[in-house]
Each structure stands twice: as C-alpha cells, then as structure tokens.
Amino acid sequence: MEAVPEQGGCPAGAEAEPCPEPPAHRLSVAELDRELDSRSELIDDKEFDIPQVDTPPTLESILNETDDEEESFILEDPFLLNVDNTDTHSYDTSSVASSDSGDRTHLKRKKKLPDTLSLHGSVIRLSLLKGISAQIVSAADKVDAGLPTAIAASNLIAVGTSHGLALIFDQNQALRLCLGSTAVGAQYGAVSALSINNDCSRLLCGFAKGQITMWDLASGKLLRSITDAHPPGTAILHIKFTDDPTLAICNDSGGSVFELSFKRVMGVRTCESRCLFSGSKGEVCCIEPLHAKVELRDHPITQYSLLAMASLTKILVIGLKPSLKVWMTFPYGRMDPSSVPLLAWHFVAVQNSVNPMLAFCRGDVVHFLLVKRDDTGAIHVTKQRQLHLHYDLINFTWINSRTAVLLDSVEKLHVIDRQTQEELETIEISEVQLVYNSSHFKSLATGGNVSEALALVGEKACYQSISSCGGQVFYLGTKSVHVMTLRSWRERVDHLLKQERLTDALALAWSFYEGKAKAVVGLSGDTSKRKAVIADRMVEILLHYADRTLKKCPDQGKIQVMEQHFQDVVPVIVDYSLLLQRTDLLFNQIYDKMSENSVAKGVFLECLEPYILSDKLMGITAQVMKDLLLHFQDKNRLENLEACIVHMDITSLDIQQVVLLCWENHLYDAMIYVYNSGMNDFISPMEKLFKVIAPPLNAGKSLTDEQVVMGNKLLVYISCCLAGRAYPLGDIPEDLVPLVKNQVFEFLIRLHSTEGSVDEEVYPYVRTLLHFDTREFLNVLALTFEDFKNDKQAVEYQQRIVDILLKVMVENSDFTPSQVGCLFTFLARQLAKPNNTLFVNRTLFDQVLEFLCSPDDDSRHSERQQVLLELLQAGGIVQFEETRLIQMAEKAEFYQICEFMYERQLRYDKIIGCYLRDPVRKEEVFNYIHNILSMPGYSAEEKQSVWQKALEHIEELLLLSPCKAADLVAIHFSEQIESIITNLQDQFLLFQFLRSLLDPREGINQDLIHLPPCVTEQFIELLCQYSPDQVLETLKVLEYCRLEETIQITQKHQLHEASSYLLEKKGDIHGAFLVMLERLQSKLLTLTQEDESSAELPLLESIEDTLMKTIALCQRNSHNLDQQQQEWFGF
C-alpha cells in the first residue's frame, strides 16, 4: 500500500481541548507585496499576538502603583497562557543606565553604551513564570524528574528534564502532561532537545544517548520511539520540525545532520532517515529550518524547505525540496574557536518585497543574508550590512522583523534595532541561572566521544534553553522559566511616568507620534489613526501633570523654590501642547489651571515667548496675550515685552492701551508695529517721533541718547515704508504697499506740520531729517528712487523731493559744508544715471563749488575737500568747467581735488607737486613716483615726464626724507647720482643722502649703485665732520673703500681708533699700534696734569678702554709677527 504522510491533529475524545492555531486571514505573497508600502512602517498587534486592551489603565492608577516585585504578570499572547492566572511573579527590567551586575567586565563596557533608557524607555519586560517554575522544582522533588535541560515554546510550553521526562504546560501555567518515565530516562539519558510542530499536536524529544521520541500532545501517547535515525553513541543536539509536519531535522554530537521523514504504512508509523551532512566533512553544531507564518505559507521560497546549517568552519543553506540542493556556503573567516555558531531566520520587508533573512554569527559580528528566488526558480543570497558588536554572542533571537534580542557571553541581553543597528536596551539576566547544553555537546552520556573543537564550542552552548514564539522569548533556568516580551508603546510610556520621568515619557510618546520610535508594539491602523491614539494619551498625561504640579507645589518657602518647581514641568507641558497643535487645550484648560497659582502662571507665560518670537504660536487668546504683556511689564522686562508685541496679532486687544504702554516705556518698535498692524495707520508713529526730535534740532541743541535712538528708528521706519517692508520685520500686505508709499511721501513733503507755529519754517519734516542725519536720509531717498518705476507719478515725486531738498538746504546757512556736499553728491549720483529724469539747475553746482572752495573761510578745510571729492567721484564732474575747477581747487589748496583732475587729464607729473604741497600726504609722494615709474599701464612719455619732474624736485624729496629719496634714486636715478651730488649745495643734506645711499645698514641694495671711490671718500669726509663717533662702525660695514685715501682723511680729523683700524686692515700692524700708543700716552698725560683727587671717572674709563683696545690689537696680531716684534710687544 502506498505510504500516506502522517497528518497532525488531536483525536476526538482527547483528555484536553486541542490547541488550534489562531485563525488568520491568509494573504498571498503578491498581496503582501502590494501592501508593503502602506504597511512597512505600521506594526500590527497581530504580528506580535498582542490583544487589544479594552480599558487602558488610568494615569492615576499607574502613578499610584507601588514599584513592587510582586507585580502581576500578564502574558501578551492570549493563546499561550491564561491571562487570568495571577500565580506569577515579575522581575522589572533594568538597564545599563540603572543597574550594575557587579561584573567588572560590565563596568568597562558600560562606558561604550549610550544611555538608551532615556531615549527609548524600557523596551522589554523580563518576567518569571512562577507557576511553571514552581512545578519544575516540585517535579524534581516528587517524581524525581531531575533538573530542566531543554525548552520548546509554541501554544504550549514543553520542558525536558535530566531524567528523561517532558513536562507540558498550558496557557494557565498548569501542568497538562508529563511525558516519559524515569525508567526510560535511565535508558535514554537526559532530554537534550525538544521541538513542537506548527499546529501544536506533536512533540519530538531528543535524548543524550541518541534516541528520539514523538508524542501526541493532545492524548499524551507515545507515537514513535526512534533508535536508528543516526549513528549510535552520539547525543541529539538539535531536533527541529519543518513546516511540513512529516519532516524533521536532527543534528547529533558527531556533527552529522539527518532528515527524518514520518509516514504511516498500513496503520504502522515509520520513520525514514536520510543523512544530509556527514560530521566527517566538518561537524555541524547548529541547524535552523526556515519557518513561515500562516500568511506567508504560499511564499514562493517555502517550496524549497530551506535549511541553514552551521559547522565549525562555515554555514550552508540547502534546499530539501524538490530535491536536495546546496544553495550557498559561507566560510566564517578568523574567529575565536570557543565562540558559539548561531543561526536565526525571519521574513523581512526589503526593497518592496518580503523575503527571508538569515542572521548568523560566531563571535562579535552578526552577518545578515537576504535570500530571494528569481523568476527562473534559482535562489540568490545577498549580503546585508553587518552588525559589529563589542561582546561575544551565545544567542540571537528575532523578536520581529525589525528587532532582535542578543544574549552575550556574560549573560546580558541586548535589544537591537536591525535597520539602524541601535542598541535600545541592555539588561542583566544572571538571575535566570540559564541552563547550558555543555554536557550534550561533550556527549558525556555516551562516553564523551566528540572532538575537542565541538566540546570547546559546547562550553557556552545554550541552544535548547532559549525558545521564541509570538514575539516572546523564553529562558530556561536551573529552577525556573522566564519570559521576555516587548513592552507595548503605552506600557513603555507609563513605565517612565511611574518613575516620575515626565520629560522622558513625553519625548518617547512624541517619538511614537512621529513614527521614529524603535521596537514599537501595540499600534495598528493607518498613520492618522495611530497619531490620534497617541495624541489622546499625551493629552491625558499633560492634563494630569498640570493638576499634579499644582497639588505638589511647596506651600511655603522662597519664591525661587516655587519657580524651580514649576519650571521643571510647565515648559514641558507647554512644549508638547504646541507640538500636538493643541492651543485650545493650552490656552483654556491648562492655562485656567495654571492661573490658580501666580508663580505657575508667570512660568507658563514666559514659556510662550520663544514660540511667539519664532512665529510658531498662532491662536493665542486675548486674555493670555493681555496677561503676557502685563507680566513682562510687572517684571520690568521691557525688551521681552517689545519683542513679543511685534510678533503678535494684537487686533483683539485694546490698541490705545497698548500704544500708551509702549510709549511710556520707550518701546518704539512695538508702538510703530501696533499702529501699523492694529490700525493700518502708518503716519501717526512718524508724527509722534517728529514731535520729540524736531524742537531740539530746530533750536540747534544736541539730542539726548534717547532722542538719537528715536531719530534712527524714524529713518529706518521711513525706509521700510518706502520699500514696502513692514517695520520692524516682515512685509506690508501687497495691496497696501502703493498706498503706504504715497502716504509717507505726502507726509514728508508737507509744507507745514499739523500743529506747527506761525513762524515754523517750510517743509519741517524734510528739514528735521536733514538736520538729524543728512547722509542717511539721502541714502533712504536714494534707495527709494532705485525702487521707483519710471511711471509719471514716480518721476513727479522724485523731482518734487529734489526741489524741496534744494530749497531747504541751499537757501539756508545753517547746514554745514559736509551736509550741503552730501546733498549735491546725492544729486550727482542721480543725475549720472543713464535713465535720469531729474533736472537740477547747473548754476546751483557752481554755487556749491564757490561755497566749498571759499578762500576766505579756512574752517573745515579737510571736510570741504572730502565733500567736493565725493561729489566729483559720484559723477558731479560733468557739472563743472574743468579749468576753473582746477584753479579754484589750487587756490583753496584742495590738492586731492587737483590730483583727481590731473589724473583725469593724464598729467601725472603735475601730481608730484600736489603731493609735495599737501602737508597731510607729503610722504606718499615716494610711493606715487615709484608706482608710476615701475608699474605697467603708463606710456613711455608719461613715465618720462614723471621721471623728469621727480629729478627736478630731488632736493625737496631729500629734505622730506633722505632715506626714502635715496631708495628712489638707487632704483630709478642711479646714473644721475653724481650729478645730484654735484648739484646739492647743502653739505649736511648731502651727508644724509650719501649715508642713506652708501651705508649698507640703511637697507639699500648696493648692487644697484656703481659709484667712483671718490664719492665714498667724500661720504667719509662728511661723516668725520658731522658724526665722528660713527666713523669706525661705518668703516667696518662699508664694502668699497680705498685704504690710503681713507687713512689720510681719518688722520686729518685725528680719529685715532679709525686710523688704527684702517692701518691694521692694510697690514701695517706696527703703525696701528703706534697710533693707539700715541692716543694712550696723550690721555695719560692729560691725567697726570690734573690733580689726582679731581681726576674725573670718564677720563679713567676712557684710558682703560684705549688700553684694552691696544692690548686686543696686539693679541689679534701676535701670530703674524717675527721673533723680535713678539718680544717687543711682549714687553
């Protein structure tokens, strides 16, 4: 009869209800792919088997909970354990930020980890399953079950023991079945591996001595006892069901892997074994078949029944169907031989498709391999980004497609976000007392017949002690079972609130709201639905904390203590209310609460300022606005008050009251803003400011600092209005711009002010601004003229304002030359424009020229010249007759004007005279001459005329600066030096010239000049006359010098030391010595002729100095003398 594959399921009339898998809507892979874009960022409760909570706990109940170790544990999977059971115990998680295991390695590593708790909150909860744990201990005592050795979790939990029993627990943590017996355990050894199939109907047990049993989990019957599936004498390290209930894989301590095929032939259950990998080719110590959830069962890759295997040197991915095929091998590379190979599959969404990803690790680097099937049916494996760690792993478990839990070799759990590789939390689990599978890897039950390499890996092997199901991870301890689950988003927020960490809780909730949080559980639906749920929770928290803060306010104490109390919470409440765009909540419920306490109210109002200043706060109520202004006024924080006003919509306030407030406190920016934006009144602010600054200006008085500030603000305000910009920031509404410009212009050019006196001069506003700051007011007009379009009205406005300016300034004598010059410079610039339409009578420019060059007025000479120069440079030159202009400038000694004109006419030689006659710029003549003669851009004729003019003025140049003149001569007039010397009559001037020219210490390059020796001797002669004490030092540095002639000069002037130096240089040592000796005798004679008591100290010092120089002469030259001379010198 044909073999019939065995079907899972529980027979009717079984002792317990079967454990069906929860119904799930099956999606095709194509449908999954289509939904990826909309779902890739959404995490559904279904993915984690998390029930919806009908009535979430209130914040009050959370905050009032005691942080008790006896907190009841609620398992997140409704199909796993009965949530009504309270016989449980919970251990709260700790983190690197808050716990320390005492392990010194942990202390060192602690520095490398960020304080992730503050960023992500507590992500996981590790809880003790007290019911199961108690019964494991009880079974060891009552039925001699032994210690726990292996665990498998599905909708039931199976725990294997060292005496061969398998304990099966249901959703209520109640013991449902005790499979096997101690008698069989004595024969088979300890349970070394467990596996539950997909529909929770079958259990496979592997034993330390190599046997395998299959059990019916509904009836508790033994279905198979397999003793010949693999070579005898080797322990079962792994036994794993595949998604095909008739197919399982086992791995023994010989390193071999076998496929087990279960069949029923004529009612008889059989098991066929096939060797997939022989341990002789390299021992396999970890296997992992690919499992797919129900909704992914029709994924095209599931038909291959993929199996990952990790040997001691490499990993392999093989397909069991349709026929055995190796799809990939991957060598480890260099690693620690004691590190544990790890494998873990999970389906993930990458590049708009769902495909399995294999994580494998041995040591401290996790590799991720993405497995895809192409259209031809071939499987491709692509490497993804590696995860580099600073610790060695002994377990890797996927919690979901984005989050993994890693266990390191010192029993710390690390929660990692796969995409960002960020470590979300780290907790210590040494309390679990994790069971290790070392004895099975060493095959101690069969005599320890394994390789050293496998035994070394087994030291830290805990494959059978950790099992995951439905987003939960179970850890088997020596006397307990713990479960680790991801906290839901709400639980994570509440966990921080329990610790009074409001800021962190809201920050975490906001990260959920923005979709930036990691390891998110418990949020489903589209983005808007999720945001609404989170926002509601945040609002609850904000309102509760507003109440809580007021209740906990210290009743007595310093005001600073109360302020600090509110500043710790109120800004946070304000920030998050505004982030949630809940100004209704902020300015009604929360503000009403805060108003109950004056300190809280003040802190609240001050929190609004940065948002107002950055224009991020809309919808502020009139009451809050009014209270804010009064608060800043009471605190005398006027700058803050003004800054806020100019950013607020004040139309709902009492405008006149705000204006009065601003004026009294000198808040002119705010006052202008209120008039402009509150009443569309652009003229009143100007009138108010003019009334303050006009009277002192008209009376010729100096303005106070406050009035100067007002005047400057007035100018900027006018500039903004005429340019279409709002003051002090923003823009005037487009429809108002033309109207505002016209209003401001008409105001400025009014013939009289509204409340002017009878004797008020015409055009008071223009006159006031010109007196206040002529240049800046004209700059404002210039900018305005730039913006004007060339329409008829604009042209009329420009001409009209120019006529008024001329009338006010030219017809009055109370403006300075500088102010008048500013006006005509402004006019010159306007007239010089190519599209100019202005008309200015040319005779006015002649009048200005007369006024500025007036020779009968020597005051403000420099100012007048600068004003005229600026006028000419601005284009005013075209308004004057050039010859007359030069004549008037020379007469007025405006040498910069002359230079400007001569340069225009290319008469560069004439400019030399301008410099020489200008007392301020005389010294600049040398650079000017040098630049003309050496720089390109000038013709030969121009250079020649400058050269000739400079030569004519050489004596003036020498008088001005002998050094600079000598430098100029050396560079440009080297061939004329002798004639210059000949023509110089002033001997001292000649001496200064020659010293600058010939003394190397003056810095002139001697290679530039080639003079006959007689010039040098002439210089030494003059040096002996004018600076005899410098002769010796100068002779030492002079490069060209005839000795005989120079000696005659120094002897003539009786400069003994200089003569001695030259004689020594000539080689006449004896002559040099005689000169020094004669000098010494002369000084000694002077000394003897004077009374001993009256002998002056300087004379004695002079004698000593001459004596020492004479001795030094002898010592320098003693090696060059013959015997007789040496004896004589010695004497």
Side-chain angles (χ1 to χ4, degrees), residues 978-1079:
E978 290 185 58
S979 65
I980 291 170
I981 293 169
T982 305
N983 293 330
L984 276 176
Q985 301 300 315
D986 186 332
Q987 291 299 296
F988 183 69
L989 187 59
L990 177 60
F991 160 63
Q992 289 180 302
F993 172 53
L994 290 176
R995 180 169 61 182
S996 300
L997 199 64
L998 298 175
D999 192 334
R1001 291 171 297 183
E1002 297 291 328
I1004 292 177
N1005 185 356
Q1006 297 298 302
D1007 294 335
L1008 295 173
I1009 50 180
H1010 304 286
L1011 297 171
C1014 62
V1015 173
T1016 305
E1017 288 148 20
Q1018 186 178 2
F1019 164 54
I1020 294 169
E1021 179 83 41
L1022 292 168
L1023 187 64
C1024 292
Q1025 291 178 38
Y1026 294 110
S1027 191
D1029 56 329
Q1030 293 291 317
V1031 172
L1032 180 58
E1033 292 303 318
T1034 306
L1035 288 171
K1036 289 179 181 178
V1037 297
L1038 278 179
E1039 296 181 19
Y1040 308 108
C1041 176
R1042 291 191 300 189
L1043 292 176
E1044 285 293 344
E1045 288 77 356
T1046 308
I1047 290 169
Q1048 290 176 17
I1049 295 169
T1050 55
Q1051 287 178 342
K1052 170 184 168 185
H1053 291 276
Q1054 297 185 351
L1055 298 176
H1056 303 291
E1057 286 184 24
S1059 301
S1060 174
Y1061 166 77
L1062 292 168
L1063 287 167
E1064 183 184 358
K1065 192 174 180 181
K1066 179 183 172 187
D1068 185 357
I1069 310 302
H1070 187 244
F1073 175 74
L1074 289 177
V1075 168
M1076 292 302 290
L1077 191 61
E1078 182 185 343
R1079 178 69 175 151

Side-chain angles (χ1 to χ4, degrees), residues 835-856:
N835 56 349
N836 169 56
T837 55
L838 289 176
F839 170 76
V840 178
N841 193 329
R842 187 163 178 169
T843 58
L844 288 174
F845 279 93
D846 288 334
Q847 289 176 26
V848 170
L849 182 62
E850 290 281 354
F851 171 67
L852 294 175
C853 295
S854 174
D856 57 342

Side-chain angles (χ1 to χ4, degrees), residues 162-307:
S162 58
H163 290 174
L165 300 182
L167 307 176
I168 311 301
F169 299 92
D170 67 7
Q171 299 165 359
N172 300 318
Q173 301 188 51
L175 182 64
R176 272 189 40 183
L177 295 169
C178 179
L179 306 176
S181 66
T182 52
V184 174
Q187 181 185 352
Y188 288 179
V191 174
S192 57
L194 292 169
S195 180
I196 299 173
N197 68 352
N198 277 336
D199 64 2
C200 204
S201 63
R202 298 287 185 267
L203 172 72
L204 282 172
C205 297
F207 291 88
K209 292 185 180 179
Q211 295 85 351
I212 300 170
T213 59
M214 179 187 280
W215 300 85
D216 185 323
L217 287 176
S219 65
K221 291 181 180 179
L222 177 67
L223 301 180
R224 287 183 176 80
S225 185
I226 305 162
T227 57
D228 57 354
H230 66 105
T234 55
I236 297 295
L237 300 183
H238 301 277
I239 184 86
K240 305 267 187 181
F241 271 112
T242 66
D243 280 346
D244 180 349
T246 67
L247 208 60
I249 311 295
C250 76
N251 173 207
D252 64 20
S253 59
S256 297
V257 180
F258 295 87
E259 176 190 76
L260 308 179
S261 179
F262 307 120
K263 296 180 182 178
R264 291 174 69 176
V265 181
M266 298 182 66
V268 178
R269 290 184 171 87
T270 64
C271 174
E272 294 178 4
S273 172
R274 174 171 64 151
C275 182
L276 300 178
F277 189 89
S278 170
S280 61
K281 297 178 182 177
E283 294 147 301
V284 169
C285 56
C286 181
I287 60 171
E288 198 64 53
L290 173 62
H291 291 287
K293 289 186 177 183
V294 175
E295 61 266 27
L296 288 167
R297 293 280 165 81
D298 61 349
H299 192 289
I301 211 154
T302 58
Q303 63 184 294
Y304 295 97
S305 193
L306 294 181
L307 172 69

